[in-house]
Every structure is written in C-alpha cells, then in structure tokens.
Amino acid sequence: MFEGLAEKLQETFKKLRGKGKLTEKDLNSALREVRLALLEADVSLPVVKEFIQRIRERSLGADVLDSFTPAQQVIKIVNEELTAVMGDTKSSVEFNSSGATVFLLVGLQGGGKTTTAGKLALHYKKQGKQPLLVAADVYRPAAIKQLEVLAKQIDVPFFALEEGNSPVTIARQAVEHSRSHGYDLVIIDTAGRLHIDEKLMEELQQMKDAVTPQEVFLIVDAMIGQDAVNIAKSFHEELGLTGVILTKLDGDTRGGAALSVRKVTGCPIKFIGTGEKLDALDPFYPDRLAARILG
Ligand code: GDP
C-alpha cells in the first residue's frame, strides 16, 4: 500500500534536499508535487488543500527557509502534518470495566465485515479476552455459516438464533448469553447491504439502542477510495461510529481513504486489514504510517 505515494513524495524530497538553500519558489514547486501525489493517491481534495496550506504556512513562518537545513525542516513539518491528518496518536478501544464489552460491526456487503469479526476475535483472544462471535445477519444464511466456520477455525464460541428472530433479539440474547457464560467481549456481525438505505440504518440504530455497544465499528474497503470516505461520513452521521476499520489495504489500493477518513468524518481509524488471513489485522498507528510514506 501507498507505494505510489511514497515513491513520489520521496522523490520530491530528494530533490529538495539536493538544493541546500531553499527559496519560496522551490518550496512552492515541491508543494505542487506533493499536492499532485496526494490527489493521485485519492486523498480528498479539501484534506489536500488544508494540508498543503498548513505546510506552506509553517514553512514560510519560523525562519525555516533561512535555517541551515531547510529541506529537512520542511520534511519534518510534512511528517508532523501527515501524522496529524490521520489523528496523531493511536486511538484506543473502549472496554467496559464491569460486564461484557460489546462491539457492533456495521458496513456494506463485501467490505470485509464478517472476516474482520473473526480477526477482532482472534486479536483479543490473543490478549487474554474471551470473545463471543455473534451472527446477526438474518438476511444471508451464508454469512451466518461463514462466521460459524471462522469461529471454529480460531476456536472461539459462536452465537446465532434460529430463523425468524430479529437482529435486535439476537443481539440482546447474545449479551445475556455472554453474561451467563462469562465471556467478556461480544462481537456482533450485522447485515450489510449493497448500498446505504434507511431500513439498514434503522435496524442498526435499534441494535445500538438495545445493547449500548462500547464500540461501533464501520468496516469499509479501502480499495474503493473516496467512496469509502463518503460511506464513513454517512454511517457516522446516521449512527455515531466510534471507529473505522479499513480493510484490504494490502491490495492495489492508493491509500487515500486512510489519509482522508479522520479529517472528513472526525472519526478515527482504529484498525487496518492487511490480508485475507485472520491474523491480518493491525492497530492503526498514524505516526508509523507517515514514517513509512515519507521513507
Ligand atoms: P462482508 O460481506 O462485509 O461480511 O465481507 P467478507 O468478510 O465476506 O469479505 C469479503 C471478501 O473480502 C472476502 O473474500 C475476504 O476474504 C476479503 N477480505 C476481507 N478483509 C480483507 C483484507 O484486509 N484484505 C484482503 N485482501 N481481503 C480481505
């Protein structure tokens, strides 16, 4: 991921370093290249504009260009601003101090929701939690089966109810089941549709009201670029997310969504999916990603 963006930015900064003294014209031409590289990586235009403006302001102020190592200073500013765009620090996940913690996983079909439910269960099982995987996608029996198979694979208990039960009932009963069995993390996989509609949002809202989850995660495919950001915006406005999990960042993605989601929605990215395997889930560290992009 981000190979294209990383390559272009590194090339721009190599040129800048080679110059020694920097003029405002040098800075502007470098910033033009940075702007283009970000747009090509599918970062949202308003995010790019604000980002470039911040870097220009900071570089022109505080005597950066007159310093002994102007290029290095500019690169440092870019690094800081890139990290800030993505949310500065790693966002922590909320856990209930008494009783089970509930994660509600929402998103459109095909985004990687069910796979991510399995990944989260494995991630927290490794940390000593006792997760329960809950299938609440009542519209797609195949999705229920898929989650059951994943649960078996990682040896995590699985919860579903027979046909005819509503997602709200399933969610409620799953939380009760966790109480009576001593599970401390309930991960609920909900139905995804092909597009956002009122019925989907209403149902999710009812589930949210019924079980008051500590985390409402939107699972969204990073490969769809700007659309991922728009989807995140809609879900956040309708439902109040606590975090976004971007999937398929291992694929041929330009990565713009990772740089745009936080700024556009105000909602942090908490994990990224980096493969189909169940251990391919990483907490999202803005500073590490910025360092990787800048080389
Ligand atoms: P859902 O409809 O949202 O539940 O999506 P699924 O969990 O069924 O995932 C859809 C497809 O995306 C499956 O083929 C998954 O293996 C794949 N997938 C999910 N997450 C990732 C990821 O991080 N990287 C890659 N390469 N594939 C993923």
Side-chain angles (χ1 to χ4, degrees):
M1 64 173 142
F2 294 112
E3 281 86 5
L5 177 61
E7 200 179 303
K8 289 207 181 82
L9 292 187
Q10 285 166 27
E11 205 169 292
T12 299
F13 294 139
K14 202 169 143 202
K15 269 192 275 177
L16 215 54
R17 273 201 200 94
K19 279 194 188 308
K21 204 98 201 101
L22 289 189
T23 62
E24 194 173 331
K25 202 165 151 243
D26 295 328
L27 177 72
N28 284 339
S29 112
L31 288 183
R32 242 191 322 273
E33 288 178 22
V34 173
R35 179 188 157 95
L36 208 61
L38 290 170
L39 289 174
E40 277 174 16
D42 214 12
V43 181
S44 306
L45 181 61
V47 175
V48 175
K49 276 187 170 161
E50 195 187 320
F51 179 75
I52 296 291
Q53 194 186 339
R54 294 257 326 146
I55 295 168
R56 177 175 287 118
E57 271 167 20
R58 287 187 59 190
S59 302
L60 292 178
D63 300 327
V64 167
L65 296 188
D66 295 327
S67 71
F68 284 120
T69 53
Q72 249 145 294
Q73 308 267 4
V74 171
I75 295 164
K76 184 165 167 276
I77 292 171
V78 172
N79 189 341
E80 285 166 9
E81 291 298 328
L82 199 54
T83 307
V85 156
M86 293 186 282
D88 275 323
T89 50
K90 173 177 169 273
S91 304
S92 60
V93 170
E94 289 293 323
F95 280 95
N96 200 349
S97 50
S98 63
T101 297
V102 179
F103 292 173
L104 193 65
L105 272 50
V106 306
L108 298 183
Q109 201 169 305
K113 201 159 24 62
T114 304
T115 311
T116 305
K119 287 179 176 183
L120 285 166
L122 180 62
H123 178 83
Y124 285 107
K125 185 187 169 184
K126 282 181 184 163
Q127 294 187 7
K129 298 262 179 228
Q130 291 188 291
L132 174 69
L133 276 169
V134 181
D137 185 350
V138 294
Y139 309 102
R140 283 196 313 145
I144 299 177
K145 189 77 209 159
Q146 187 191 346
L147 190 66
E148 190 175 8
V149 170
L150 291 180
K152 273 218 183 75
Q153 227 171 298
I154 54 175
D155 197 20
V156 160
F158 168 79
F159 185 91
L161 291 178
E162 65 272 18
E163 231 184 295
N165 283 290
S166 75
V168 172
T169 305
I170 297 170
R172 263 209 200 99
Q173 292 203 14
V175 173
E176 274 165 31
H177 182 82
S178 74
R179 248 183 234 130
S180 56
H181 287 72
Y183 305 130
D184 53 9
L185 176 59
V186 181
I187 301 173
I188 306 175
D189 184 21
T190 63
R193 304 227 166 81
L194 292 175
H195 53 86
I196 297 170
D197 60 45
E198 226 168 89
K199 191 158 173 287
L200 169 72
M201 288 300 180
E202 244 168 56
E203 192 175 280
L204 294 173
Q205 187 63 54
Q206 284 169 5
M207 293 177 83
K208 194 182 165 192
D209 292 345
V211 295
T212 47
Q214 277 62 42
E215 295 283 351
V216 182
F217 287 132
L218 171 74
I219 320 299
V220 64
D221 180 346
M223 300 233 279
I224 59 176
Q226 299 268 337
D227 280 344
V229 181
N230 294 333
I231 290 167
K233 198 160 179 264
S234 303
F235 269 90
H236 191 42
E237 281 164 6
E238 294 270 345
L239 210 59
L241 303 171
T242 61
V244 172
I245 301 182
L246 275 184
T247 62
K248 309 186 195 181
L249 269 170
D250 52 306
D252 185 21
T253 159
R254 290 175 290 168
L259 295 179
S260 310
V261 161
R262 176 65 189 245
K263 261 276 183 268
V264 174
T265 68
C267 190
I269 297 172
K270 292 203 173 169
F271 289 94
I272 53 174
T274 55
E276 290 190 81
K277 292 218 179 93
L278 290 179
D279 59 0
L281 180 79
D282 296 316
F284 184 67
Y285 294 98
D287 49 344
R288 289 189 200 169
L289 191 55
R292 201 159 134 184
I293 292 170
L294 296 177

